[in-house]
Amino acid sequence: MLITAIAPDGCAFCGSARRAGKLGGQRGTLWGSPKDPLREYEPMHDAPTATGTPPSGDGAGEREPLSAGLKQRHLTMLGLGGVIGAGLFVGSGAGIAVAGPGIVLSYLIAGALAMLIMRMLGEMSSAMPASGAFSVHAERALGRWAGFSVGWLYWFLLVVVLAVEATGAAQIANGWVPAVPQWGWVLIFMLVFTAANLTAVKSFGEFEFWFATLKVGAIVLFLVLSLLAIFGVLPDTEAVGLANLTGQGGFLPNGWQGVVSGVLAVAFAFGGLEVVTIAAAESDDPARNVARAVRSAVWRILFFYVGSMLVVVTLLPWSSMQPGKSPYVAVLDSIGVPGAGQIMNVVVFVALLSALNANLYGSSRMVFSLAERGEAPRSLLKVTAGGVPRRAVLSSVAFGFVSVLLNLLWPDTVFLYMLNAVGAVLLFVWALIALSQLRLRRQIERTAPEKLTLRMWAFPYLTWTALAAMLAVLVLMLTDDGARPQLLWSAAATGAVLVVAGLRELRMRRSGR
């Protein structure tokens, strides 16, 4: 969902069932009781407000719950297709240019980190499904400040990236139909997906199901054609052997430094998996469905990414790759697929619209969850008869429209600053996910071990390994001239949110809340 190598200046981002019980207890440590985070907990989207009482919406208990319109097939394809986007189809060229064939190792490292994060998310979400997912988990594990911070940071991330996706899709559509200006296409896309998200959650699920099916199908077809070309089975092709892997400076032409630079170039392309855990709360069986979606997604996603890069650098010399140019187009051209550029344009176009749709959905559910817990205006809790948080959707798309306008008017000034401000936010979100899992896992093991239907591998060692890896990436970004501005702006944005969270916490404690 989060995509790379489209924004200027090399920016890294260019992505319940019905209520049956109530949550209660004190806030600040763990909900319910410090000894029992799951006391009175039912796996729904509800959460206490800042006063420690269940939310009631506009009236006393009159708010309707979110619908349970997503099916298992929706979640499965959302997990599979969620991170297959322009970051892979286009942005991977930048990684190959700096790492050479070693980009395979870069994707293995970045993909392994994403898999660990997804496993942590799957463990917590299958035990405690919630529409706010990791924001709710952070609040339970670390306190109000953590839930507030990670929720608003993720919302800001999604609505800014949404503007990039809308603009990127509009640029492609404008090339096909120049009579419609770029801003006109942006307006069309935003209106269509706003309508889809306002009708019913099933509409979102169906859009994402078919988008993901097309993207997964494109990857599978690409891998099949590439393998046939590698072995010389296709007409007018000869077996290529290992010449491109061992020539042109060898497998690591730029050494391990190139692999590290490749990790920085591709790591953020794995962002977007998180939406699966948000969406699971609106399925008929959240705990079971999110566990199945996570299990089916993580290995296949890694296979798609690493497998794609392996066949690309086997078929073509890595030195022929150019940042911003799709290596997929280059491969399809080399094996004689007619109209390869336009075919990939269609695939990227679908990938961008898919990310736009998913980010609008994810941002609306995140701000809805924040409102449930008293961390956003209570007016956003209003839902339709079909269980759609209409005001949460409209508030997210409204800011998305503002972001699009800034992107169209000042792409190299105001919008660039916003884009840089979310450049490393995903890492901060992932770090809070890992810290939350460290604490919640031990609490759940003591109080309700039967809820751990999906467990983090080698706990707690791999969780600490993931945290160390994220710290290493942040350090590498600080030492990289191209990535440093993103890190500094993202750190400033994160710091600002943390300050607000701290001030709110202080005010609530003084008022006895």
Side-chain angles (χ1 to χ4, degrees):
M1 290 185 188
L2 302 182
I3 55 177
T4 58
I6 287 183
D9 200 33
C11 176
F13 297 97
C14 196
S16 78
R18 293 190 175 275
R19 195 160 74 191
K22 294 182 179 180
L23 293 171
Q26 298 177 345
R27 301 282 298 281
T29 52
L30 290 169
W31 293 351
S33 163
K35 295 181 180 180
D36 186 0
L38 298 180
R39 182 172 65 85
E40 296 185 79
Y41 174 74
E42 294 294 335
M44 307 302 167
H45 65 274
D46 289 350
T49 64
T51 63
T53 60
S56 59
D58 296 330
E62 294 179 357
R63 180 180 55 79
E64 293 188 43
L66 298 179
S67 68
L70 293 178
K71 302 181 185 299
Q72 179 62 51
R73 65 184 178 90
H74 295 144
L75 293 181
T76 299
M77 291 309 294
L78 179 60
L80 286 176
V83 295
I84 300 175
L88 175 63
F89 294 124
V90 180
S92 54
I96 297 174
V98 297
I103 192 63
V104 175
L105 300 180
S106 300
Y107 268 104
L108 275 172
I109 295 170
L113 175 59
M115 287 176 64
L116 293 179
I117 296 299
M118 196 58 192
R119 190 76 179 189
M120 295 177 214
L121 270 174
E123 176 184 284
M124 293 186 291
S125 295
S126 60
M128 298 172 285
S131 63
F134 44 89
S135 175
V136 174
H137 304 150
E139 189 154 339
R140 289 192 181 117
L142 306 172
R144 278 183 299 224
W145 67 269
F148 176 91
S149 300
V150 74
W152 279 112
L153 282 171
Y154 196 70
W155 181 84
F156 180 52
L157 165 69
L158 293 186
V159 294
V160 171
V161 175
L162 183 152
V164 183
E165 292 150 352
T167 306
Q171 289 173 345
I172 295 175
N174 180 249
W176 293 334
V177 186
V180 179
Q182 183 175 315
W183 66 265
W185 284 113
V186 169
L187 181 61
I188 292 171
F189 299 148
M190 298 289 270
L191 290 175
V192 167
F193 289 108
T194 299
N197 278 268
L198 284 175
T199 52
V201 71
K202 185 178 179 181
S203 299
F204 161 78
E206 286 299 322
F207 268 110
E208 282 305 300
F209 176 82
W210 293 109
F211 281 153
T213 299
L214 190 150
K215 290 187 290 185
V216 170
I219 290 285
V220 171
L221 182 59
F222 174 80
L223 289 173
V224 170
L225 289 175
S226 297
L227 287 173
L228 292 176
I230 287 172
F231 293 107
V233 177
L234 292 180
D236 301 322
T237 61
E238 297 180 0
V240 296
L242 302 178
N244 290 323
L245 296 177
T246 57
Q248 305 283 326
F251 188 73
L252 300 178
N254 296 320
W256 283 100
Q257 179 60 42
V259 174
V260 170
S261 297
V263 170
L264 290 181
V266 305
F268 297 100
F270 287 94
L273 280 168
E274 310 86 15
V275 177
V276 178
T277 59
I278 295 175
E282 293 186 74
S283 64
D284 55 356
D285 189 348
R288 181 177 63 89
N289 289 341
V290 72
R292 291 178 62 183
V294 169
R295 287 193 185 101
S296 66
V298 289
W299 293 107
R300 296 178 191 178
I301 287 170
L302 190 60
F303 170 75
F304 287 150
Y305 271 77
V306 176
S308 295
M309 289 304 100
L310 185 58
V311 297
V312 167
V313 295
T314 301
L315 277 171
L316 300 176
W318 71 271
S319 56
S320 65
M321 299 298 165
Q322 301 178 31
K325 302 295 184 182
S326 173
Y328 288 75
V329 173
V331 167
L332 294 176
D333 280 335
S334 71
I335 61 180
V337 175
Q342 282 303 319
I343 292 174
M344 196 50 58
N345 260 346
V346 172
V347 174
V348 172
F349 179 72
V350 170
L352 289 166
L353 293 183
S354 171
L356 171 60
N357 188 40
N359 285 350
L360 178 55
Y361 171 84
S363 59
S364 66
R365 267 46 175 192
M366 182 59 74
V367 79
F368 178 81
S369 176
L370 288 166
E372 282 186 308
R373 291 171 280 141
E375 313 290 7
R378 296 293 299 276
S379 61
L380 297 177
L381 289 174
K382 185 70 174 179
V383 297
T384 66
V388 177
R390 178 189 301 163
R391 293 180 181 177
V393 172
L394 293 176
S395 66
S396 296
V397 80
F399 194 88
F401 270 115
V402 172
S403 298
V404 170
L405 183 63
L406 294 176
N407 191 12
L408 294 175
L409 296 178
W410 301 290
D412 298 323
T413 53
V414 178
F415 186 74
L416 179 59
Y417 293 138
M418 288 179 59
L419 208 52
N420 277 335
V422 301
V425 160
L426 185 66
L427 283 178
F428 298 138
V429 170
W430 282 1
L432 279 172
I433 288 171
L435 291 172
S436 302
Q437 190 264 342
L438 278 173
R439 187 168 186 184
L440 285 181
R441 168 65 175 267
R442 298 188 190 282
Q443 295 288 341
I444 299 171
E445 284 180 332
R446 287 199 299 268
T447 60
E450 71 279 0
K451 290 186 177 292
L452 289 171
T453 57
L454 183 71
R455 293 173 179 262
M456 175 62 183
W457 303 300
F459 177 81
Y461 306 108
L462 284 182
T463 302
W464 283 111
T465 299
L467 279 168
M470 284 182 274
L471 178 60
V473 173
L474 290 173
V475 171
L476 291 171
M477 291 184 71
L478 189 61
T479 59
D480 185 87
D481 292 338
R484 188 182 304 114
Q486 296 172 38
L487 177 60
L488 296 178
W489 277 99
S490 296
T494 302
V497 173
L498 288 173
V499 168
V500 174
L503 292 175
R504 292 182 80 260
E505 184 78 9
L506 183 62
R507 178 174 59 84
M508 289 179 180
R509 289 185 178 182
R510 285 178 175 175
S511 63
R513 297 168 67 185

